[in-house]
Amino acid sequence: MASLWRAAMGQWENQPEDYGGVEFWSDPERTGWLTKQGEYIKTWRRRWFVLKQGKLFWFKESTITRASKPRGIIPVASCLTVKGAEDVLNKQNAFELSTRTDTMYFIADSEKEKEDWINSIGRSIVQHSRSVTDSEVVDYDNKK
């Protein structure tokens, strides 16, 4: 059985195929090419990314079907920040995605693509974060 690398709470571990019920091949929130730095061997590789339902998947190819196997998955709820990283990497259009224990680096093809990815991932972090439970959300419109 094939397995994939998955960041869970900042720990990289070998997981069986578990996409959390996410149909990554259908109606994603955002897709596009990004250059990603490897987790262990710090080489830069171009990968096709798919953001959907709080998970960021990456693939070698941009043609994604039900049979496609992600090269990796990042559950964005385990991420704390997503921000520009040009100054850290000394590369244009760079950004970073950080958990409590790890930081991954990406390079977009343009400034606009970088900003769009940061915004999309940032929204997904907020939507899927477990730091705010439903009982802690205050409905200001209906508050008396």
Side-chain angles (χ1 to χ4, degrees):
M1 183 160 164
S3 60
L4 50 99
W5 292 96
R6 177 176 166 186
M9 305 311 282
Q11 300 297 314
W12 291 97
E13 53 189 66
N14 204 341
Q15 292 285 330
E17 291 175 22
D18 172 18
Y19 310 134
V22 178
E23 296 179 351
F24 53 77
W25 57 89
S26 173
D27 298 323
E29 294 156 35
R30 173 166 293 286
T31 62
W33 289 105
L34 292 171
T35 303
K36 181 182 95 49
Q37 191 177 41
E39 290 80 40
Y40 301 107
I41 301 170
K42 301 295 182 188
T43 54
W44 291 94
R45 296 227 164 91
R46 196 160 164 81
R47 297 289 184 246
W48 182 257
F49 281 80
V50 173
L51 178 64
K52 184 168 180 184
Q53 295 175 335
K55 294 190 180 350
L56 184 62
F57 300 86
W58 67 89
F59 304 85
K60 278 190 171 182
E61 305 293 328
S62 62
T63 305
I64 307 301
T65 67
R66 184 185 299 262
S68 297
K69 300 284 186 233
R71 303 286 297 174
I73 302 172
I74 301 168
V76 297
S78 69
C79 297
L80 301 176
T81 61
V82 58
K83 61 186 180 183
E86 286 96 343
D87 52 343
V88 176
L89 297 176
N90 201 22
K91 293 179 184 288
Q92 276 193 319
N93 309 320
F95 66 97
E96 65 182 47
L97 184 56
S98 297
T99 66
R100 288 190 202 288
T101 59
D102 207 5
T103 300
M104 293 184 69
Y105 293 101
F106 306 89
I107 300 171
D109 290 346
S110 68
E111 178 71 17
K112 182 181 183 330
E113 281 285 306
K114 180 192 86 167
E115 293 300 326
D116 289 348
W117 274 108
I118 288 173
N119 290 336
S120 295
I121 294 169
R123 267 194 308 276
S124 190
I125 289 171
V126 170
Q127 288 170 355
H128 297 280
S129 173
R130 290 168 185 67
S131 62
V132 178
T133 64
D134 289 340
S135 64
E136 293 172 319
V137 174
V138 176
D139 185 350
Y140 292 103
D141 294 332
N142 295 321
K143 192 172 182 188
K144 296 189 169 132

